[in-house]
Amino acid sequence: MSESIRNKIEEISKELEEHNYNYYVLSNPTVSDFDFDKLLEKLIDLEKQYPEYLQPNSPSQRVGGTITKEFKNVKHKYPMLSLGNTYNEEELRDFDERIKKAGISEFEYVAELKYDGVSISLTYVDGMLKQAVTRGDGEKGDDVTVNVKTINSIPLKLRGENFPAEFEIRGEIFMPKSEFLRINEEMRKQLIEDGYDEEEISERLLKNPRNATSGTLKQLDSKAVAERNLDCYLYSILGENLPFASHYDSLIEAKKWGFKISADMEKLSSVDGVVKYLSKWDKKRHDLNVETDGVVIKVNSFEQQKFLGFTAKSPRWAIAYKFKAARVATILESISYQVGRTGAITPVANLKPVQLAGTTVKRASLHNADIIEKLDVRIGDTVFVEKGGEIIPKIISVDLSKRDLFSEAAQPTKYITHCPECNSELVRSSGEANHYCHNELGCPPQVKGKMEHFVSRKAMNIDSLGAETIAQLFDAGLLKTIADIYDLKKEDLLKIDRMAEKSANNLLAGVEASKKVPFERVLFAIGIRHIGETTAKKLAFFYKNIESIKNATLEQLLEVGDVGERTAQTIIDYFSDKRIEEVLNKLKIAGLQFELSDEQLSNTSEKLKDLSFVVSGVFSKFSRDEIKKTIEQNGGKNVGSISGKTNFVLAGENMGPEKLKKAEKLGVKIITEDEFINMLEE
Ligand code: IVH
């Protein structure tokens, strides 16, 4: 019996690995996702029942779930060196000359793309992945094996038979461009829902695929890694007595063992061939789904590599050629300063329009005062603008030879000291890169931005009051603070352009209805910096009314999950502002909810503290919204989509099969409505 179970486990594992290889390495699927998942489920079930047969390299390990406390720092058997760089054809030809001068006349090159990710060294023993270690400082790196096992294109078990008993293979783990865009898109949606503004969103999004790869590999929860669909190209094999004579042959062989080897590698007979390869890929690389920053050129023969040897830091038989980032020179015509909803000032370079990598560039971000000072960029300067992995073009440097020292304009740039919108003095706190305008209640873009936020759907939900009307009412002097919304009179509204009787009535009805919006949303609506929808809810249910929040000390505020020191200080600063006190008083008099309702109070607890739920389907005892509310009132959190971090999926009737599949795949616990009710009654 047990023998047959073991065989069954082995058989399913083999089949899954085969499908996996076809899909992720060969890009040639041989089974539907559904059948694959069913088979994987069967394997996971059997392994749960018979844990004695669970193999460390079972395909079930790819879904992740292992939590690492910290990564072990381990020494590399062979140090992980770096490569010398070249930036133009001349330097590349110098490299070719050095090889010839060393005494090698007949040789081949192999050219490969230089993938921009995180380098990794994989050790295989008897065909099994034993260890995966990052480069670290080259001598020692982090053991990230559990995370690497979730990367589907990395074989856990090798194919065929004639691989060496023990060897290391190195390569580059990367996040495909499409995956990078997908994750950022999802994060953006979630952040907008949570009430963050553009500036805060761009701070939180993944910066570029390389950064994202390295951040992902450092995750302590391997399930989170599995969700990010990293990929890996392998490009060098190391070991004792390896059975091949050249680099090219070694990779062709490695491909047969199941490794993903780039199809863009080419064997070339001379440096001229390399130059052609460079110019071909300089353009074509943009079409790939992986970021590349250059080409690596290697002498093919292992014997010749050995003869050439190493310098202290890098091999003499290989070199990197770095592509020039798309770069162009243009003139800085002026600098303007934008004021965001939170009062942050962003300097923007207005450029003489110029073509760059297929788009017309007119503006570039200058980020903050430090960057301007470091670049010493002045109006009228000729500047170099570059487009790297990031989306917004950057000013890289100034062409000083073109600076006209006698021109009036060529004065060092003085950063503005006063707000361009309201003329208040700008403040730059220590540790902050940005200058801020603190005139929250008088600076037009801030006031209008705050009002737009106040009326938004997840806040007071006054959809009859749009951005355009806010601007009109603001310009007419009818709206100075959010409190004025509750003083609007019909006769005033009718004086506004294009405002008819019906829209005025609608608007006033919306304002009236908003007085019933519950406390947690009012707290979100008033727009305290760093307080998104979730934090507002936590604060509301923890403190129950606005007076208690106002009276809380910094230490007390830190007791609320989600509130860090910076947020706590912002809350204290907010409530100590006299003008804000006045606005809040007016809102209170107008009848807004500044405390939890009796019903909310009788339903709150901490029973679901720190637990996250995905609620899906139709329920018999409560509506979905009621269930969601109950979760929050009891300290839990509702999340939109299932991830490795989700604690429970609360499944009703007709829950989508995709969600169910995902929950099962990620091992997230699925509970019924009754089980949920039990959790609260326990
Ligand atoms: S070969 C002795 N080949 O570039 C070093 N490296 O500075 C041999 N890289 O850390 C490296 N693509 O992370 C090689 N096709 C490729 C590569 C590649 C990317 C990275 C690697 C290494 C760095 C070299």
Side-chain angles (χ1 to χ4, degrees):
M1 168 66 184
S2 67
E3 197 54 24
S4 81
I5 302 258
R6 198 170 67 175
N7 287 343
K8 186 90 199 146
I9 289 187
E10 214 164 83
E11 195 185 299
I12 302 180
S13 299
K14 228 180 178 158
E15 195 181 335
L16 283 167
E17 275 304 339
E18 193 66 25
H19 289 315
N20 203 66
Y21 171 75
N22 290 333
Y23 188 93
Y24 291 102
V25 180
L26 303 183
S27 305
N28 180 27
T30 41
V31 64
S32 71
D33 284 4
F34 183 75
D35 289 343
F36 183 90
D37 288 349
K38 259 188 23 202
L39 205 56
L40 181 60
E41 232 168 73
K42 202 159 155 192
L43 176 67
I44 294 175
D45 265 358
L46 280 173
E47 286 175 344
K48 260 191 201 146
Q49 271 184 61
Y50 303 94
E52 63 273 29
Y53 298 137
L54 171 67
Q55 297 294 317
N57 283 346
S58 158
S60 62
Q61 302 308 295
R62 295 205 187 273
V63 295
T66 313
I67 308 287
T68 312
K69 280 223 175 67
E70 59 185 52
F71 298 113
K72 238 189 349 188
N73 203 241
V74 294
K75 195 168 177 337
H76 290 292
K77 188 163 173 194
Y78 312 96
M80 286 182 86
L81 302 174
S82 57
L83 291 172
N85 285 323
T86 58
Y87 296 92
N88 52 46
E89 187 179 329
E90 197 187 334
E91 288 174 5
L92 177 72
R93 288 189 185 274
D94 288 347
F95 166 73
D96 185 58
E97 281 305 315
R98 285 200 295 277
I99 294 172
K100 288 177 181 151
K101 275 209 187 108
I104 299 182
S105 49
E106 291 268 315
F107 64 99
E108 287 172 328
Y109 283 119
V110 174
E112 295 157 17
L113 289 175
K114 189 167 181 297
Y115 301 104
D116 203 7
V118 171
S119 49
I120 193 82
S121 189
L122 310 173
T123 305
Y124 284 83
V125 178
D126 297 328
M128 295 286 186
L129 172 63
K130 261 265 136 48
Q131 199 177 42
V133 184
T134 61
R135 181 171 185 277
D137 61 4
E139 292 290 329
K140 282 176 165 180
D142 287 334
D143 179 340
V144 290
T145 316
V146 284
N147 285 348
V148 165
K149 280 186 182 171
T150 69
I151 301 175
N152 289 300
S153 56
I154 294 182
L156 304 180
K157 260 184 214 169
L158 299 184
R159 307 168 65 79
E161 268 139 32
N162 48 356
F163 40 76
E166 182 165 349
F167 67 96
E168 273 187 54
I169 186 161
R170 292 180 175 172
E172 200 79 357
I173 296 182
F174 59 93
M175 181 177 283
K177 289 180 193 167
S178 54
E179 184 66 8
F180 170 76
L181 295 174
R182 179 191 70 82
I183 295 171
N184 265 355
E185 183 90 357
E186 276 180 14
M187 276 170 75
R188 170 180 289 280
K189 269 195 207 141
Q190 188 60 51
L191 289 164
I192 290 175
E193 262 190 26
D194 286 350
Y196 289 96
D197 70 17
E198 271 308 313
E199 181 195 321
E200 294 165 317
I201 290 174
S202 66
E203 263 176 31
R204 284 168 168 78
L205 291 182
L206 302 175
K207 295 285 168 291
N208 56 50
R210 177 171 35 80
N211 249 320
T213 308
S214 123
T216 305
L217 278 180
K218 285 188 201 138
Q219 295 269 350
L220 298 175
D221 177 1
S222 65
K223 233 189 230 177
V225 184
E227 275 162 33
R228 283 193 159 182
N229 300 318
L230 298 177
D231 203 344
C232 181
Y233 277 130
L234 283 312
Y235 50 63
S236 103
I237 304 189
L238 297 145
E240 319 290 322
N241 305 318
L242 295 178
F244 1 75
S246 73
H247 174 64
Y248 192 83
D249 291 349
S250 75
L251 293 186
I252 296 296
E253 208 50 34
K255 198 169 166 180
K256 296 182 192 152
W257 306 334
F259 291 107
K260 186 156 169 166
I261 308 293
S262 166
D264 309 323
M265 155 177 92
E266 273 183 48
K267 200 153 62 170
L268 301 160
S269 59
S270 71
V271 69
D272 293 330
V274 175
V275 171
K276 279 197 195 119
Y277 183 92
L278 299 180
S279 70
K280 173 171 89 180
W281 282 106
D282 191 17
K283 293 216 166 56
K284 231 177 118 180
R285 69 191 178 107
H286 297 295
D287 304 333
L288 297 173
N289 195 18
V290 44
E291 287 284 350
T292 51
D293 61 347
V295 170
V296 181
I297 300 112
K298 302 171 183 173
V299 169
N300 190 23
S301 145
F302 280 153
E303 199 184 319
Q304 289 173 336
Q305 285 189 3
K306 204 164 158 202
F307 176 80
L308 288 164
F310 296 84
T311 68
K313 281 189 294 190
S314 51
R316 287 200 186 86
W317 45 264
I319 200 123
Y321 170 88
K322 290 286 194 89
F323 290 126
K324 288 180 198 65
R327 173 186 286 203
V328 77
T330 186
I331 305 224
L332 174 66
E333 293 184 329
S334 64
I335 298 177
S336 40
Y337 297 84
Q338 290 176 346
V339 188
R341 170 165 83 81
T342 55
I345 309 291
T346 312
V348 177
N350 299 308
L351 305 165
K352 185 163 174 216
V354 66
Q355 281 298 114
L356 177 62
T359 52
T360 307
V361 176
K362 289 185 209 137
R363 286 142 71 84
S365 169
L366 281 167
H367 303 283
N368 56 49
D370 287 346
I371 303 269
I372 293 181
E373 197 181 315
K374 204 163 126 212
L375 289 168
D376 181 25
V377 62
R378 308 178 185 188
I379 311 284
D381 271 345
T382 298
V383 293
F384 292 108
V385 182
E386 207 173 270
K387 243 192 198 171
E390 286 87 8
I391 298 145
I392 307 162
K394 270 199 296 223
I395 293 184
I396 295 300
S397 61
V398 174
D399 184 350
L400 288 175
S401 69
K402 297 245 168 65
R403 185 177 279 170
D404 179 0
L405 288 174
F406 300 103
S407 141
E408 281 261 327
Q411 296 303 312
T413 299
K414 285 204 190 80
Y415 204 80
I416 48 167
T417 52
H418 290 75
C419 177
E421 298 278 348
C422 72
N423 210 29
S424 321
E425 196 169 347
L426 299 180
V427 178
R428 184 183 185 181
S429 322
S430 65
E432 290 259 19
N434 283 91
H435 284 69
Y436 278 89
C437 166
H438 278 323
N439 185 15
E440 281 183 56
L441 299 174
C443 179
Q446 292 189 66
V447 177
K448 282 187 271 184
K450 271 199 169 31
M451 290 178 189
E452 285 167 26
H453 168 73
F454 184 80
V455 300
S456 65
R457 195 172 57 84
K458 300 216 156 191
M460 305 307 281
N461 193 23
I462 313 177
D463 60 359
S464 45
L465 184 52
E468 208 181 318
T469 317
I470 288 180
Q472 286 175 314
L473 292 168
F474 179 85
D475 292 341
L478 290 168
L479 285 185
K480 292 196 180 68
T481 73
I482 48 176
D484 297 337
I485 294 176
Y486 294 89
D487 282 341
L488 287 174
K489 309 256 171 337
K490 192 157 156 192
E491 54 271 29
D492 289 334
L493 290 175
L494 291 174
K495 287 183 205 143
I496 297 293
D497 239 12
R498 278 177 291 155
M499 175 75 73
E501 175 101 17
K502 196 165 164 215
S503 13
N505 286 340
N506 254 344
L507 200 161
L508 292 174
V511 171
E512 195 53 35
S514 77
K515 293 179 184 170
K516 298 222 166 54
V517 165
F519 173 46
E520 66 276 16
R521 274 170 53 194
V522 176
L523 194 57
F524 169 57
I526 56 179
I528 311 173
R529 241 166 83 198
H530 311 311
I531 306 290
E533 205 191 345
T534 316
T535 316
K537 273 182 191 150
K538 292 214 164 140
L539 281 166
F541 287 107
F542 192 92
Y543 283 106
K544 320 249 189 296
N545 60 54
I546 202 149
E547 278 307 305
S548 315
I549 302 178
K550 193 173 158 186
N551 294 331
T553 62
L554 190 102
E555 288 72 27
Q556 286 167 337
L557 288 168
L558 290 173
E559 285 168 26
V560 183
D562 246 26
V563 174
E565 201 134 322
R566 190 174 73 145
T567 310
Q569 191 55 50
T570 318
I571 298 172
I572 290 182
D573 293 347
Y574 178 86
F575 284 108
S576 57
D577 189 324
K578 284 275 163 286
R579 297 166 306 170
I580 285 178
E581 196 175 348
E582 210 173 294
V583 172
L584 293 179
N585 276 335
K586 280 193 192 162
L587 291 175
K588 209 179 277 175
I589 294 167
L592 268 61
Q593 307 297 320
F594 276 111
E595 56 189 29
L596 293 182
S597 67
D598 291 345
E599 196 201 333
Q600 282 178 316
L601 280 173
S602 62
N603 285 336
T604 59
S605 85
E606 296 267 285
K607 284 193 177 146
L608 307 178
K609 193 166 177 254
D610 296 331
L611 297 177
S612 59
F613 291 79
V614 169
V615 183
S616 183
V618 183
F619 299 89
S620 54
K621 303 197 168 99
F622 298 99
S623 75
R624 191 153 62 191
D625 281 345
E626 280 169 333
I627 290 186
K628 283 188 166 178
K629 215 159 127 195
T630 310
I631 290 174
E632 266 150 20
Q633 290 173 347
N634 290 283
K637 189 174 162 193
N638 286 301
V639 288
S641 62
I642 302 171
S643 80
K645 289 189 201 131
T646 312
N647 295 99
F648 295 98
V649 171
L650 181 42
E653 290 283 321
N654 298 334
M655 169 178 169
E658 284 305 312
K659 273 198 175 157
L660 204 58
K661 228 166 77 181
K662 190 162 179 196
E664 281 169 359
K665 188 167 166 191
L666 295 172
V668 178
K669 194 158 183 209
I670 303 169
I671 54 169
T672 61
E673 189 176 12
D674 286 335
E675 285 170 312
F676 173 69
I677 295 170
N678 280 342
M679 279 173 88
L680 292 169
E681 285 173 353
E682 262 165 24

